[in-house]
Amino acid sequence: MNVPFSYAAKREAMRIAGKHITTDDVIEVRNPYDGSLVGTVPAARPEHVRDAFARAKAFKSKLSRFERQQILQKTAELLRGRRASFARIISAESGLCWKDAIYESTRAYDVWSFAAQLAVKDDGESYACDISPNGKARRIHTLRTPLLGVISAITPFNHPLNMVSHKLAPAIATNNRVVLKPTELTPLTALALADVLYEAGLPPEMLSVVTGNPSTMGDAMITDPDADLVTFTGSVRVGKHIAHTAGYKRIVLELGGNDPLIVMEDADLDKAAELAVQGATKNSGQRCTAVKRILVVEKVADEFSRYVLEKAKKLKCGDPADAETDVGTVINERSAVLFENRVNDAVTKGAELLHGNDRQGALYSPTVVDRVPYDCELVHEETFGPVIPIIRCSNDIAEVIRISNSTAYGLSSGVCTNRLDYITRFVNELEVGTVNVWEVPGYRTEMSPFGGIKDSGQGYKEGVVEAMKGFTNVRTYSLPWQG
């Protein structure tokens, strides 16, 4: 059955300090499933970006912790009440299936609600000074202050609501001002969220949303003199360009992933296969933390492969607006062609295609590939789609760890074993930011620390708690104190 979509194409405007700004040149946003026009957004030029940053820098927020908490919680409640409306936008502009779009809206509620709770928490610290012979009768205190300049936030297509929320909510909780540029592929959700924030009482100068792409905007979001911090989630190539170009600014990069799910010989194979299939195909496989490689020891590989194939065949791939669909489209046909070619390349190198590799435009079916060479492009690079690649490893845990660490990425991992000695080694030796035992690599709460190393990021963590720390300056002061 189809979800009753009533999302009509709309000519959208940017939101610059709350004002609706249009341009003659526009960018079309099209539904990846059927190519229909979902809407248009302005193609911003550098002067629009400059105006947004200047207006933000000129505004000094006086919002109390209580006032911020009220705005954040009201935003959460408004999002919950409009969950279906946001899901329609998400599905229409991204091609994600209805189930995934609804889940995205639910996650966003958590982000805003958690940020509201943390906004009223005193984040200062206090230090005694009489702790050595050199000490004095004083106490040292700290407090966290907003950045002097503006946060430049650049977000990707795969989580049009939740990824934007992870940039904006911690910034507002810490009284910062933000200029946001959502990807030109899925900008409509971000504009709708901005309107919700204004409705919730956010001073409009604290948030601007500019739309466009580098061909119209250049590097303005990266190089603006009023930007103190650039936070970016997206590809390694663009992340490294930002790091090279931004200059003397704080940089927070959350880049790609090539996350393994490791299955050892003692694992419950049915449970492990469920994690593998769901972890590789939810959100059409378009998560930096999706299962992108399954490392299974040879001893149980045959049986595990059968479980995976059985579960993958049950998934329904098709119209994102159908409530029964499990896997919608990927973001565009170009990406689907890339995945198809990578699977074909793996087969020429000895892999065995068990299921899928069917493509119709941007619709790419869940695909099971067994006996994948660990160094072929399909699993050595980040394949951002619903491919389920099985890599068979020797029964030696050291070899499993070596293969897991053999790519340039280091974001997350999942481990299927009950042996404490194995778990200890994986936690200590996997070159990743997260190790989840008996869970998919992407498991987290919206509050817990999240981030990677190597080509997955510089080690800075997201999640509301860590992002709030990263979006502030620490001011230290001391006072005479008679103990």
Side-chain angles (χ1 to χ4, degrees):
M1 90 178 191
N2 285 345
V3 176
F5 262 60
S6 59
Y7 193 80
K10 184 178 180 182
R11 185 183 176 99
E12 267 290 3
M14 291 184 284
R15 312 295 196 267
I16 296 184
K19 296 182 179 180
H20 286 218
I21 304 296
T22 60
T23 59
D24 291 335
D25 294 330
V26 299
I27 296 171
E28 292 185 341
V29 181
R30 292 193 173 272
N31 187 315
Y33 178 68
D34 59 14
S36 61
L37 182 68
V38 182
T40 64
V41 295
R45 299 183 297 275
E47 56 264 33
H48 295 113
V49 179
R50 177 81 281 274
D51 183 42
F53 275 99
R55 290 176 182 273
K57 180 66 181 295
F59 180 78
K60 304 297 183 184
S61 173
K62 303 296 185 182
L63 292 175
S64 68
R65 289 179 182 272
F66 173 74
E67 290 168 331
R68 282 175 266 157
Q69 187 271 340
Q70 293 289 292
I71 292 168
L72 292 162
Q73 190 60 42
K74 186 172 181 180
T75 299
E77 300 300 335
L78 288 170
L79 286 173
R80 181 159 63 182
R82 300 173 191 176
R83 185 178 67 161
S85 175
F86 269 90
R88 289 188 184 96
I89 304 173
I90 292 166
S91 184
E93 68 176 343
S94 72
L96 292 176
C97 73
W98 183 251
K99 295 175 183 178
D100 289 338
I102 282 288
Y103 179 60
E104 171 98 350
S105 299
T106 304
R107 289 183 65 193
Y109 172 87
D110 285 352
V111 177
W112 293 96
S113 179
F114 291 159
Q117 295 171 54
L118 290 169
V120 295
K121 182 178 182 295
D122 188 345
D123 48 15
E125 295 181 312
S126 182
Y127 298 83
C129 294
D130 59 344
I131 58 173
S132 84
N134 300 314
K136 292 185 176 182
R138 301 183 66 81
R139 287 192 72 84
I140 296 172
H141 304 274
T142 69
L143 54 85
R144 290 186 174 271
T145 61
L147 302 182
L148 295 177
V150 183
I151 294 173
S152 173
I154 307 171
T155 56
F157 68 83
N158 56 319
H159 291 295
L161 178 60
N162 204 49
M163 198 60 67
V164 174
S165 296
H166 268 289
K167 307 294 186 189
L168 298 186
I172 294 166
T174 49
N175 235 359
N176 278 289
R177 300 141 295 169
V178 187
V179 175
L180 168 72
K181 195 206 86 67
T183 172
E184 66 276 11
L185 299 174
T186 58
L188 302 174
T189 306
L191 292 167
L193 176 60
D195 290 340
V196 167
L197 280 159
Y198 299 147
E199 182 181 345
L202 183 73
E205 297 87 351
M206 290 182 70
L207 173 63
S208 290
V209 182
V210 295
T211 57
N213 57 43
S215 67
T216 66
M217 300 166 65
D219 286 333
M221 286 291 297
I222 307 169
T223 59
D224 193 279
D226 287 334
D228 266 12
L229 181 150
V230 179
T231 174
F232 168 79
T233 300
S235 72
V236 174
R237 179 185 62 81
V238 175
K240 290 187 175 182
H241 171 73
I242 290 173
H244 181 263
T245 308
Y248 191 63
K249 292 179 175 66
R250 201 179 304 180
I251 307 293
V252 179
L253 303 176
E254 202 283 281
L255 308 178
N258 197 354
D259 300 343
L261 183 75
I262 296 171
V263 183
M264 300 302 288
E265 72 277 1
D266 67 308
D268 177 333
L269 299 183
D270 181 60
K271 181 179 178 182
E274 185 67 27
L275 292 174
V277 172
Q278 290 299 314
T281 60
K282 292 296 289 181
N283 225 63
S284 297
Q286 298 173 131
R287 287 176 170 169
C288 54
T289 55
V291 171
K292 308 225 175 58
R293 300 175 290 155
I294 304 162
L295 279 54
V296 55
V297 295
E298 190 67 53
K299 185 175 180 180
V300 296
D302 287 343
E303 185 179 359
F304 174 78
S305 180
R306 288 194 294 271
Y307 276 115
V308 167
L309 181 59
E310 174 187 312
K311 294 177 186 300
K313 286 182 174 180
K314 293 179 180 178
L315 296 175
K316 179 179 179 180
C317 178
D319 185 353
D322 186 336
E324 302 302 316
T325 295
D326 299 299
V327 180
T329 73
V330 295
I331 191 61
N332 51 39
E333 183 175 7
R334 183 179 68 254
S335 297
V337 169
L338 173 64
F339 309 149
E340 181 184 32
N341 290 341
R342 283 183 174 178
V343 169
N344 290 335
D345 172 70
V347 170
T348 66
K349 292 177 168 62
E352 181 182 356
L353 176 62
L354 301 182
H355 176 67
N357 205 31
D358 302 316
R359 182 184 61 80
Q360 297 178 34
L363 195 65
Y364 183 79
S365 64
T367 298
V368 181
V369 196
D370 197 358
R371 304 180 188 277
V372 178
Y374 78 89
D375 56 352
C376 73
E377 185 177 339
L378 177 66
V379 290
H380 197 67
E381 300 298 327
E382 181 180 30
T383 298
F384 214 60
V387 181
I388 311 168
I390 300 172
I391 301 171
R392 297 184 175 220
C393 306
S394 75
N395 297 315
D396 179 10
I397 186 174
E399 178 69 0
V400 174
I401 291 170
R402 185 190 70 80
I403 292 174
S404 181
N405 291 341
S406 66
T407 77
Y409 298 92
L411 186 54
S412 300
S413 62
V415 172
C416 298
T417 181
N418 296 313
R419 288 183 51 170
L420 184 58
D421 57 336
Y422 284 174
I423 292 169
T424 301
R425 287 199 63 179
F426 288 134
V427 170
N428 287 332
E429 298 179 37
L430 292 180
E431 296 171 352
V432 293
T434 298
V435 178
N436 284 322
V437 180
W438 279 115
E439 250 304 348
V440 293
Y443 177 77
R444 58 176 172 136
T445 70
E446 309 303 337
M447 189 181 286
S448 61
F450 168 78
I453 56 176
K454 299 164 69 174
D455 273 0
S456 292
Q458 324 114 300
Y460 294 116
K461 295 288 190 178
E462 292 193 337
V464 177
V465 173
E466 292 299 315
M468 286 175 65
K469 293 177 184 176
F471 290 174
T472 54
N473 293 321
V474 177
R475 183 168 299 160
T476 301
Y477 64 96
S478 69
L479 301 170
W481 195 267
Q482 298 299 324

